[in-house]
Amino acid sequence: MHVAVVIVGFRNVSDITHCLAALARSRHRDFEVVICENGGPDAFAALRAAAPDRLPGGQPVELICAPGNLGFAGGMNVGIRARPDADAWWLLNPDAEPDLDALGCLVQRLERGDCAAVGGMLYGHDGLVQSCGGRWRGWLARAEVVGRGGRVDDPLDADAIEARLDYISGASLLAGRRMLERAGLMRDDYFLYAEEVEWCVRAKAKGLKLGFAPGARVLHSQGATTGSADAHARRPRLPIYMDERNKLHVVRDTTPSRLPVAIVASLVLAFLRFGRRGAWRQQRDALAGWWAGIRGERGAPAWLG
């Protein structure tokens, strides 16, 4: 199976070079890499100076300079379209470093033929699991991570995890041809956050199954680009705003009848996340994103510049 590894960068050359070094050690060798740089011409020039044309195993690396900041889904869609003949597309965060067997395990699970997309385990430098995928609670506009907090080497029941999966984290998601043919591409009007949730929920509504490969382990420096992993009182505006806005879009785009309830529930949950911790600036950012979601705003926020 020939895989196109698609990475979206935004002025983070160091992350990308570490990711490429990890990919070069992959035991599954039949892949190539496409990187879409969203950070403008200067960032593209810096990336071009640092990234190789080929990995040591001969896998080609193509760099694409986006015409502007297309966001995560927009950049990924550019990379996917650049390799229409691939057998599968591995959406991989630039702040991710796959283990040696990660890609091979994803491919093996996809080749069983009963699922359209496959995820694995994301873990942090502390040796704790960040995600094995997630559940989507449409009535609450809430994404619930599966597996968070466990130890990397704890035994996993792959079948039980698959039975719970509503979405796969976009930090490491192998999409097969059926995923694209039946569900289409991700919605790039989300810009950042929750686009993979909507994509996977949409795919499941079309009868497609999501798979889980427990051996597909990826070290993930969560939030390295956006700061989303910072403590609540230190989180920057963008990830909070986009997360609150786009969760309402997932409800609107997949189960619109639930939107009135989800609007109220998401407001309460935002207060429990930030307000009760005294993170008042973050609470204001969450409220602004919630209101933008109610109004149906899409794309990059006007204030981003």
Side-chain angles (χ1 to χ4, degrees):
M1 178 175 289
H2 181 71
V3 177
V5 182
V6 184
I7 300 169
V8 176
F10 186 80
R11 304 171 186 169
N12 52 346
V13 170
S14 178
D15 288 337
I16 292 173
T17 55
H18 282 94
C19 183
L20 291 176
L23 283 170
R25 297 189 290 269
S26 173
R27 290 196 174 106
H28 182 92
R29 311 298 289 174
D30 190 4
F31 69 91
E32 57 186 309
V33 183
V34 180
I35 304 173
C36 178
E37 173 57 61
N38 272 342
D42 290 344
F44 181 74
L47 179 61
R48 186 168 54 188
D53 294 330
R54 289 184 176 272
L55 298 182
Q59 297 89 353
V61 178
E62 180 183 358
L63 308 180
I64 299 173
C65 185
N69 187 356
L70 305 178
F72 175 79
M76 284 294 179
N77 289 342
V78 165
I80 292 171
R81 291 189 184 103
R83 290 296 180 273
D85 296 328
D87 297 314
W89 297 262
W90 190 13
L91 282 59
L92 188 65
N93 264 24
D95 58 359
E97 298 179 38
D99 289 10
L100 299 179
D101 293 316
L103 180 54
C105 290
L106 291 171
V107 167
Q108 287 177 1
R109 180 64 190 89
L110 189 64
E111 285 181 330
R112 284 166 55 183
D114 63 330
C115 59
V118 182
M121 175 197 293
L122 300 175
Y123 68 95
H125 293 276
D126 56 4
L128 297 179
V129 176
Q130 293 176 355
S131 172
C132 293
R135 296 295 304 269
W136 173 245
R137 305 297 188 186
W139 289 108
L140 302 176
R142 177 180 173 85
E144 297 179 354
V145 177
V146 172
R148 176 178 287 171
R151 300 294 307 179
V152 170
D153 293 325
D154 288 346
L156 295 172
D157 186 335
D159 291 336
I161 290 173
E162 285 191 0
R164 300 175 63 192
L165 283 184
D166 291 322
Y167 70 89
I168 299 166
S169 171
S172 173
L173 187 161
L174 183 70
R177 300 198 68 87
R178 275 192 298 156
M179 184 74 169
L180 271 63
E181 290 168 357
R182 294 185 59 181
L185 295 170
M186 283 189 288
R187 292 189 61 134
D188 54 19
D189 59 358
Y190 277 48
F191 187 67
L192 286 173
Y193 288 91
E195 53 275 277
E196 80 271 42
V197 177
E198 188 279 332
W199 196 31
C200 290
V201 172
R202 186 193 337 151
K204 289 194 67 175
K206 294 179 179 293
L208 299 176
K209 180 181 177 179
L210 305 177
F212 175 71
R217 299 178 178 181
V218 175
L219 176 63
H220 181 218
S221 300
Q222 189 174 25
T225 302
T226 64
S228 62
D230 293 348
H232 287 81
R234 295 199 304 270
R235 290 183 188 176
R237 182 182 186 186
L238 182 65
I240 296 171
Y241 179 96
M242 299 304 297
D243 185 50
E244 296 299 327
R245 188 194 80 173
N246 287 349
K247 287 186 297 188
L248 292 181
H249 285 331
V250 176
V251 180
R252 177 181 286 111
D253 294 337
T254 60
T255 53
S257 63
R258 299 181 182 182
L259 187 59
V261 175
I263 286 172
V264 176
S266 62
L267 179 62
V268 172
L269 291 172
F271 176 78
L272 293 175
R273 188 177 305 113
F274 299 110
R276 71 183 179 90
R277 292 181 168 92
W280 298 114
R281 194 268 297 165
Q282 287 76 13
Q283 180 65 64
R284 290 193 297 272
D285 294 338
L287 182 60
W290 173 82
W291 183 240
I294 292 174
R295 295 199 308 270
E297 293 183 7
R298 295 184 183 261
W303 49 263
L304 188 60

